[in-house]
Amino acid sequence: MNNFIFENTTKTFFGKGCVKEYLHCLAGHYGSNVMLCYGSGSIKRNGVYNEVMEILHKAGKTVTEFSGIMSNPTYRKVLEGAALARENKIDLILGVGGGSVMDCCKAISLAAVYKGDIWADFWARPGIIDFEPLPLGVIVTATGTGSEMNGGAVVTNEELKVKTGKDYPICNPKFALLDPVYTFSVPRRQMISGGFDTLSHIMEIYFSRPDEENVSDDIAEGLMRGVIRDLRAAVKDPLDYTARSNLMWEATMAENRIIKLGKQTDFQCHMMEHQLGAYTDCNHGEGLAVLHPAYYRHICGAGAVKFARFAVRVWGIPANGKPLEELAKAGVEALADFIRELGLPTSFGELGIDKGTDLQAIARSCPIVPGSYKKLTHEEIYEIFQECL
Ligand code: NZQ
Ligand code: ZN
């Protein structure tokens, strides 16, 4: 394995009833001004808002609300939240939602205390954060991104048409509360999209060097088999607690840095999807579902040994003396079949992307990362986009 240092500073509370049990005590560690951040109102419809507000009021907190955090949160929204946090002398930011809310809150926690422009200094390029952001706690209501236990915050700069994120460990939430029951009300389409995002994270880590036997790949294979099993079960019965709780922890495990240890990691597919999102505002997990098979058809020849291992160990395809390349392709096609089985979109058309969209401009704007088995060119990214039409 490659060398690594590991630390994860988020204290994580998992399971049915964990918000009721621990939020009061956790909030007690911070001052009285809490900024409650959420999205477009699902927490008001499913009762989570009332539950959280009651706890905060009992804990004697003064609550400032910051709502309307959109899917694919924008830099403008971050600045709006930061101004509100400063105005109200906020001691604790509490994000209640999915990846969009959590990411926006992480960026707010920095912008609220930083004198300069956080986009220019920490998003446009990697920077060094040598100050303490406002403390952040999160309550997860939709699983998939794993944002609850990392420092990553993916933000869209609409003016620049760039969607990007960096994982700054100092932005890890101080605490994360994960009650699987809170995810029961997530619409089926989002549940599937979130589950696929998790699978994508694991694949983006797994398909990168080193490929000699290593603990991270072994855990990744177990996690991928788990996501496939649990997504199938949750599609059949969205109230299946076992499936939903597994999906929740699989999402966290995929992105809490554990399976990245000793791995180079790829994330080229995420780079393409993020730019697609910057131009079209498409749903993150669905965008990945369209791109992954096309991307992997491009690189599986160069990484045939690993893709063949994926076919056998993740999809249970018997090797039976098949040539390596054939087995590798069978693994990619098993993934494509699974995407169809889940009813995820399989083309840009199904993703709702306009025919007139300038795919060449999007392709040119995609960062090229070195982690994959085959370094793409912008022309190849455009070809991949064409294959998704
Ligand atoms: O707006 P609200 O009311 O919150 O409704 C949301 C939203 O419409 C809804 N929802 C959430 N919990 C619900 C619920 N509806 C009913 N009941 C509940 N319990 O679900 C919709 C989608 O939510 P969103 O947070 O946008 O989805 P997701 O969790 O997939 O997050 C996507 C964002 O995270 C970024 C993506 O790029 C995208 O911007 N990512 C963040 C990562 C990270 N920080 O590590 C890594 C990922 O690769 C990803 O890029
Ligand atoms: Zn993702």
Side-chain angles (χ1 to χ4, degrees):
M1 289 185 79
N2 290 340
N3 297 7
F4 63 80
I5 297 172
F6 177 68
E7 183 184 40
N8 193 306
T9 54
T10 300
K11 188 157 185 174
T12 304
F13 300 77
F14 184 93
K16 205 182 280 184
C18 69
V19 174
K20 268 195 191 137
E21 198 167 348
Y22 301 112
L23 179 60
H24 181 102
C25 168
L26 289 167
H29 293 126
Y30 304 91
S32 61
N33 294 329
V34 175
M35 185 158 101
L36 179 71
C37 303
Y38 54 96
S40 62
S42 61
I43 65 164
K44 291 208 166 161
R45 294 187 290 278
N46 61 17
V48 170
Y49 173 88
N50 286 343
E51 192 160 303
V52 170
M53 276 303 235
E54 199 184 320
I55 295 167
L56 293 176
H57 283 143
K58 274 195 186 143
K61 303 294 176 186
T62 304
V63 180
T64 300
E65 291 191 34
F66 182 60
S67 63
I69 298 176
M70 63 292 275
S71 285
N72 303 328
T74 62
Y75 186 43
R76 206 175 300 147
K77 194 71 185 168
V78 169
L79 295 180
E80 199 190 307
L84 191 67
R86 276 193 301 267
E87 224 172 86
N88 291 280
K89 303 199 171 16
I90 292 302
D91 301 303
L92 171 71
I93 300 176
L94 185 63
V96 186
S100 297
V101 168
M102 293 187 272
D103 285 10
C104 190
C105 287
K106 289 178 196 171
I108 291 171
S109 75
L110 287 179
V113 293
Y114 188 60
K115 300 274 182 287
D117 175 353
I118 62 156
W119 180 273
D121 295 344
F122 307 120
W123 265 255
R125 55 185 165 80
I128 294 170
I129 303 179
D130 56 1
F131 58 92
E132 269 300 317
L134 276 185
L136 165 68
V138 297
I139 296 176
V140 182
T141 67
T143 68
T145 66
S147 181
E148 57 274 9
M149 211 177 164
N150 65 41
V154 179
V155 176
T156 300
N157 188 316
E158 291 170 298
E159 281 75 37
L160 302 177
K161 283 198 183 316
V162 176
K163 178 178 178 182
T164 188
K166 310 260 179 298
D167 184 356
Y168 291 110
I170 204 162
C171 292
N172 265 61
K174 300 283 181 228
F175 62 85
L177 291 152
L178 283 67
D179 183 340
V181 175
Y182 280 19
T183 69
F184 280 1
S185 57
V186 173
R188 178 191 157 93
R189 186 183 150 195
Q190 180 58 37
M191 175 188 82
I192 294 171
S193 150
F196 190 79
D197 188 22
T198 300
L199 185 60
S200 166
H201 296 154
I202 307 167
M203 293 189 297
E204 297 255 42
I205 298 162
Y206 182 73
F207 291 116
S208 75
R209 294 183 179 91
D211 285 320
E212 73 236 20
E213 296 292 347
N214 67 83
V215 180
S216 294
D217 281 346
D218 291 341
I219 303 173
E221 284 166 358
L223 284 174
M224 286 190 275
R225 288 193 297 269
V227 174
I228 295 161
R229 173 198 63 210
D230 297 317
L231 256 177
R232 282 183 171 138
V235 164
K236 257 198 208 125
D237 177 10
L239 302 184
D240 178 339
Y241 182 82
T242 304
R244 298 306 288 269
S245 57
N246 280 333
L247 282 171
M248 192 166 213
W249 188 239
E250 282 150 2
T252 311
M253 277 294 292
E255 269 296 332
N256 64 4
R257 307 191 193 105
I258 285 178
I259 63 166
K260 293 181 178 172
L261 299 177
K263 296 286 295 179
Q264 186 173 5
T265 81
D266 178 11
F267 284 89
Q268 185 63 63
C269 199
H270 268 67
M271 295 302 113
M272 294 189 272
E273 194 289 328
H274 282 167
Q275 278 314 100
L276 206 58
Y279 279 71
T280 68
D281 201 28
C282 63
N283 176 286
H284 177 60
E286 292 185 347
L288 291 167
V290 174
L291 289 167
H292 259 295
Y295 172 48
Y296 283 163
R297 285 180 196 120
H298 271 249
I299 66 162
C300 79
V305 173
K306 197 60 172 291
F307 277 96
R309 180 174 152 176
F310 174 68
V312 174
R313 297 200 194 173
V314 177
W315 298 104
I317 298 169
N320 285 351
K322 287 190 191 86
L324 201 67
E325 300 256 323
E326 190 186 315
L327 203 50
K329 282 186 189 153
V332 177
E333 294 318 313
L335 172 68
D337 287 345
F338 184 57
I339 289 167
R340 279 188 288 271
E341 174 191 329
L342 291 173
L344 280 159
T346 57
S347 67
F348 285 167
E350 285 175 25
L351 196 56
I353 292 182
D354 249 27
K355 280 210 173 82
T357 305
D358 187 351
L359 295 179
Q360 230 151 9
I362 304 178
R364 272 197 306 272
S365 74
C366 291
I368 309 273
V369 289
S372 158
Y373 296 116
K374 182 171 183 282
K375 199 169 162 192
L376 296 184
T377 61
H378 287 112
E379 290 69 39
E380 256 176 310
I381 293 180
Y382 181 61
E383 269 173 40
I384 290 169
F385 285 174
Q386 292 287 315
E387 286 157 23
C388 294
L389 286 173

